[in-house]
Amino acid sequence: MEYLVCKVSVHIVTYNSSDHIDDCLEAVLRQSYPIEQIVVIDNASKDNTIENLSKWIDKVQVIQNATNNGFAGGHNQAIRMTETDYCLVLNPDVVLDPDYILNTIKSLTIHNQAGSATGKLLFKANPNHIDSAGLIINKARRAFDRGANQTSDHFQQSEEVFGVSGAAAMYSRHMINDISLNGEFFDEDFFAYKEDVDIAWRAQLHGWKSFYEPSAIAYHERGWKEGSRLSKPLFVRRLSYINRYKMMMKNDHLSMVLKHIIPLFIYEVLSFAYALVREPKLLAAWSSFFRSYKDLRQKRSMVQGKRKVSIDELYRWFSE
C-alpha cells in the first residue's frame, strides 16, 4: 500500500488559541497514521497559549514569533521547516477523528494529479451539521464552504472538488513546490482570509486536483465566523473584502470575466453600495491593493505562465 510509506507533518499556527490548542494536539497525537513532525508556530499570542504549549514540548516543535506573521506567513514558516511528502495545515480550533490523516492520504495516493484533500468538517458545537466539505466558487468569484450548515448525512461520496478549506487541509509537497511563488506557498500579501481559495484556484490552473473524502472527519469550532458580520474586527472584514480582488488579479482570465460579466457586475454594484452605505471603512482596504499592485502583476505573470489547463476546463467549477 503506497500511502503507508508517505511521511506527513502537521502544521498549526496559533494566535490567542489557549482555549483550543490542548484538544487539537490531543487529537493529532491520537492519529492512527504515524506523524513525522508536528510544528506549532505561535504568532505572538497574548493569552496563555505558550503556557499551554509548554506541556507538549517533548512531542511538538514550538516556534514563538515576536510578531504576528498571519496565517499565510506562519504556515509558510512551518512548511519551510519540514520535508515530508504531505503537510496537514490545521487550525488550532479543529479536532480530528483518529483516521483523518490516514483517510486523506489514502485519497491523495489513489488519484492522479491529486494535490490536496479534505475530509468532512463538522461544527464542533453542533456535529449534526456540516462546516465544510471542500470549497466552491461562483461566477461572481465568491467562494464558500461546500455544504455549510447542511445536515451531516449529506456529501457521503468521495469526489473531486474545486479546493479545500485551510482549516484542515492535506497538501502534497510536490504540489506545494510546484505552485509556490517566490518561495511562498500561501501568498503572504493576503496575511489571512481567502488564502486557501487562492491556493485552490492557482493549483487548478497548474493542473492539480483536490479531493473530498467523507470518511475523514473533523470538528471545527469556527470562532467569530458564526456571529454577525459587524461582530468581526474591522481588519478581518477588510482582509476578507480586498483579498478577493487580489486573488482575481492573480488568477482570473479576461475571457472568463467577460463571459461572466453580468453576475460579476451585479455583485460589484451591490457590494460597493453596501460598503458605501453600511461599512465605508471597508473601502480603505483598497490602499493595500494599490500598494501591492506591482507585486500582484508579477505574481499574475508567474501564475499564468505556468497554466496547464484550458480556461474552459478550469471554469467548469464556477457555478451560478
Side-chain angles (χ1 to χ4, degrees):
M1 289 178 282
E2 181 185 350
Y3 64 87
L4 291 176
V5 301
C6 298
K7 293 182 179 179
V8 62
S9 54
V10 177
H11 306 173
I12 303 168
V13 173
T14 54
Y15 178 71
N16 295 340
S17 307
S18 61
D19 290 344
H20 307 295
I21 192 61
D22 287 334
D23 289 344
C24 177
L25 287 174
E26 284 175 5
V28 168
L29 292 168
R30 287 199 302 266
Q31 290 298 293
S32 59
Y33 193 94
I35 298 171
E36 181 83 4
Q37 193 174 357
I38 304 170
V39 178
V40 178
I41 305 292
D42 183 74
N43 268 336
S45 289
K46 296 176 175 60
D47 64 357
N48 296 323
T49 299
I50 292 298
E51 292 177 35
N52 285 12
L53 287 170
S54 66
K55 298 179 295 187
W56 304 94
I57 206 69
D58 58 331
K59 298 176 181 176
V60 176
Q61 189 172 0
V62 178
I63 303 296
Q64 292 180 247
N65 286 340
T67 57
N68 186 349
N69 293 334
F71 178 98
H75 276 295
N76 285 341
Q77 191 177 346
I79 286 168
R80 288 190 289 267
M81 292 171 59
T82 62
E83 298 179 349
T84 51
D85 303 300
Y86 295 99
C87 301
L88 177 63
V89 167
L90 186 64
N91 276 11
D93 63 347
V94 171
V95 174
L96 305 175
D97 265 6
D99 291 332
Y100 189 91
I101 289 178
L102 172 68
N103 290 332
T104 49
I105 288 183
K106 277 185 182 179
S107 177
L108 286 168
T109 55
I110 64 175
H111 292 109
N112 292 328
Q113 281 303 107
S116 59
T118 186
K120 180 182 285 188
L121 277 59
L122 306 174
F123 287 110
K124 189 176 180 183
N126 185 9
N128 292 321
H129 287 79
I130 294 170
D131 171 53
S132 179
L135 296 175
I136 56 176
I137 192 166
N138 66 16
K139 291 177 181 176
R141 283 35 173 185
R142 298 184 68 204
F144 302 92
D145 286 295
R146 194 174 72 122
N149 296 306
Q150 294 189 41
T151 54
S152 57
D153 55 336
H154 289 80
F155 300 99
Q156 300 285 25
Q157 300 297 317
S158 303
E159 56 191 321
E160 188 180 352
V161 291
F162 172 70
V164 300
S165 166
M170 187 68 78
Y171 293 113
S172 154
R173 177 74 62 172
H174 191 183
M175 187 191 82
I176 289 172
N177 292 339
D178 182 54
I179 75 170
S180 290
L181 302 176
N182 300 323
E184 295 180 3
F185 177 57
F186 292 108
D187 189 335
E188 294 184 21
D189 188 51
F190 282 45
F191 189 80
Y193 300 97
K194 293 189 171 62
E195 66 293 304
D196 51 356
V197 186
D198 176 60
I199 288 291
W201 198 340
R202 193 189 329 152
Q204 290 282 350
L205 281 165
H206 293 179
W208 293 95
K209 297 179 180 180
S210 296
F211 290 91
Y212 163 72
E213 176 47 58
S215 65
I217 303 291
Y219 305 89
H220 191 191
E221 186 70 27
R222 187 51 82 165
W224 61 49
K225 288 194 176 183
E226 287 306 292
S228 68
R229 177 179 174 83
L230 293 178
S231 70
K232 304 171 187 176
L234 177 61
F235 87 94
V236 169
R237 303 200 305 275
R238 282 178 173 168
L239 286 170
S240 182
Y241 170 76
I242 204 62
N243 285 352
R244 172 176 168 269
Y245 295 100
K246 292 179 179 180
M247 177 178 68
M248 291 167 62
M249 176 69 187
K250 289 163 53 183
N251 302 306
D252 219 336
H253 195 274
L254 179 60
S255 66
M256 286 297 110
V257 170
L258 294 174
K259 187 174 181 178
H260 300 157
I261 194 66
I262 293 176
L264 267 169
F265 178 76
I266 292 171
Y267 177 75
E268 293 306 324
V269 169
L270 293 175
S271 175
F272 180 74
Y274 172 87
L276 201 62
V277 174
R278 297 291 302 276
E279 295 188 68
K281 290 182 179 180
L282 274 185
L283 299 176
W286 278 104
S287 63
S288 167
F289 181 91
F290 292 117
R291 281 197 307 271
S292 59
Y293 183 74
K294 183 178 179 180
D295 287 341
L296 288 169
R297 283 184 59 87
Q298 180 194 46
K299 290 172 183 175
R300 174 180 176 80
S301 178
M302 296 168 66
V303 170
Q304 299 299 329
K306 291 182 65 176
R307 180 166 61 85
K308 296 177 182 176
V309 300
S310 69
I311 296 300
D312 287 339
E313 182 181 353
L314 172 65
Y315 283 89
R316 66 191 171 98
W317 293 109
F318 287 64
S319 60
E320 296 296 337

